[in-house]
Amino acid sequence: MPHITGRIRRRVLTPKVSETLLEKRGFHRKDPESQRLLETVGARFLEGYGHAVAASSTAEAEEGLRQVPDQFRGFAYEGAGMGAAMLDGIPGLGRGHVRRLLAGEGAAHEYMIYVGIGWSMGRLPKFLWADIDALDPLLRWLVLDGYGFHQAYFRTERYVRQRYREARFPWPADDHPEYAGNAIDQGIGRALWFVCGTDTDLVADTIGTFPEARRSDLYGGVGLAATYAAGSGERELTGLVKRAGEHRGSLAQGSAFAAEARLRAGLLMPQTARATRVLCGMEPEEAAAVTQDVRPRGAATGPLPAYEEWRRAIAARITGGEEGLR
């Protein structure tokens, strides 16, 4: 049970659950089942966030996170990542919350926690952002993925309908700052799964309104969300592959990332396999293995960050080299 100060922090810092309702956000509602799924994801995210900001210790937060059903626990850890980063950033609430979350049971949810850190960047001024340089150099691009999701989810008119993109994002890491927009677009792609209510035709139509140069990253985010969050059947996913066209490799890469994230955390669901079979042509275990087989072991030596080299290698391996990331 959180101490009274923790309960106060939760009340003051936690957004209202009503903010995750599709009707409130103005998002497409495909059918009641998909709507319930996406709204449950939002509620579980906020539950995890609440555990992080209210707990007096990491162990206490972990106890609450353990109670979240397998299907949604990853989203709860994403919320916890945001909560921990908020605590680290707000003066007077102590430091090291993210580090301790990653050092404990959160290690199995590292990808989701990194994404959650990005959410905090959408809520805090730059001088209070998390210490990006302290994070894994390969995975820290996921922080920008999380930021992109946050912006598209809460500022949908600007980031989705007006297709806004920051010309020079203030990425604090000294590592290919010109790539920041790509990583943010991957998060915007994930958010499109929610904005479009898991309607694969609407997702493809919406991506089609973006400049061609941005579509590969957007499809990568869609593939991740379609696999991790789920919400569409085999027929819809098959149609999505066709609509992706030359960006099929990006779609598969995102799906493989999602499979790895779920397997690593022990949260594999039947919906995960349904998605990877269609988007990757593989079982989730095979898709996840690809991500580890081609994972960079050192710093990038070319013009692209190691993270992007990794994404391209995954796409090429899954598609047999015919279609990488375009």
Side-chain angles (χ1 to χ4, degrees):
M1 177 71 68
H3 189 270
I4 186 171
T5 56
R7 294 199 296 272
I8 293 173
R9 284 200 304 268
R10 174 182 285 179
R11 181 175 300 176
V12 171
L13 296 177
T14 304
K16 296 179 180 179
V17 174
S18 61
E19 292 297 315
T20 67
L21 299 180
L22 268 61
E23 184 175 8
K24 169 76 171 181
R25 302 250 55 83
F27 294 170
H28 178 66
R29 287 172 282 172
K30 183 179 73 175
D31 54 50
E33 184 179 359
S34 297
Q35 181 176 352
R36 281 193 298 272
L37 170 67
L38 297 180
E39 291 178 346
T40 301
V41 167
R44 292 298 189 176
F45 176 97
L46 289 179
E47 181 181 348
Y49 177 94
H51 286 311
V53 300
S56 58
S57 67
T58 302
E60 184 179 301
E62 290 171 344
E63 183 179 355
L65 289 162
R66 265 183 240 122
Q67 309 309 312
V68 179
D70 289 358
Q71 183 177 359
F72 302 105
R73 193 175 308 142
F75 297 107
Y77 263 98
E78 184 179 353
M82 178 187 177
M86 292 290 288
L87 293 178
D88 280 349
I90 297 175
L93 297 183
R95 304 289 292 177
H97 297 88
V98 168
R99 176 179 52 78
R100 290 190 292 273
L101 185 65
L102 287 166
E105 294 178 13
H109 304 272
E110 185 177 28
Y111 300 162
M112 303 303 286
I113 291 172
Y114 273 47
V115 169
I117 294 169
W119 278 65
S120 73
M121 293 170 63
R123 300 279 170 147
L124 295 172
K126 182 178 180 295
F127 70 92
L128 295 179
W129 284 359
D131 181 7
I132 302 301
D133 288 328
L135 302 176
D136 185 307
L138 178 64
L139 297 181
R140 63 188 175 197
W141 293 105
L142 289 169
V143 173
L144 288 185
D145 184 306
Y147 172 82
F149 186 103
H150 177 279
Q151 299 302 83
Y153 191 92
F154 289 103
R155 300 174 184 174
T156 310
E157 180 63 30
R158 189 177 197 196
Y159 280 82
V160 176
R161 300 188 181 98
Q162 297 178 11
R163 298 172 291 284
Y164 174 75
R165 193 184 202 190
E166 289 99 329
R168 294 175 60 86
F169 188 81
W171 181 232
D174 185 22
D175 176 21
H176 295 83
E178 73 285 351
Y179 183 75
N182 299 82
I184 291 170
D185 275 351
Q186 291 153 31
I188 292 174
R190 277 196 309 119
L192 289 181
W193 194 246
F194 290 73
V195 173
C196 299
T198 80
D199 184 321
T200 54
D201 280 333
L202 183 56
V203 167
D205 288 345
T206 304
I207 291 178
T209 68
F210 282 78
E212 175 61 37
R214 300 180 63 181
R215 295 176 192 173
S216 176
D217 290 308
L218 294 170
Y219 269 112
V222 167
L224 201 158
T227 304
Y228 200 96
S232 287
E234 182 177 342
R235 185 173 182 178
E236 292 172 289
L237 294 171
T238 300
L240 181 62
V241 172
K242 293 179 180 178
R243 293 290 302 274
E246 65 177 344
H247 303 296
R248 184 174 70 85
S250 302
L251 196 65
Q253 174 271 315
S255 179
F257 260 17
E260 163 61 10
R262 280 208 170 270
L263 280 161
R264 181 176 181 180
L267 303 176
L268 188 65
M269 304 299 295
Q271 302 93 314
T272 313
R274 180 174 62 208
T276 60
R277 287 168 189 158
V278 176
L279 303 184
C280 302
M282 299 176 173
E283 294 298 321
E285 294 83 359
E286 296 175 281
V290 168
T291 71
Q292 298 310 295
D293 288 346
V294 301
R295 180 170 177 154
R297 306 304 175 192
T301 57
L304 298 172
Y307 182 74
E308 178 62 13
E309 291 182 349
W310 187 23
R311 295 180 66 244
R312 294 187 180 206
I314 294 169
R317 174 74 69 86
I318 291 176
T319 61
E322 297 175 3
E323 298 178 46
L325 302 189
R326 300 293 178 89

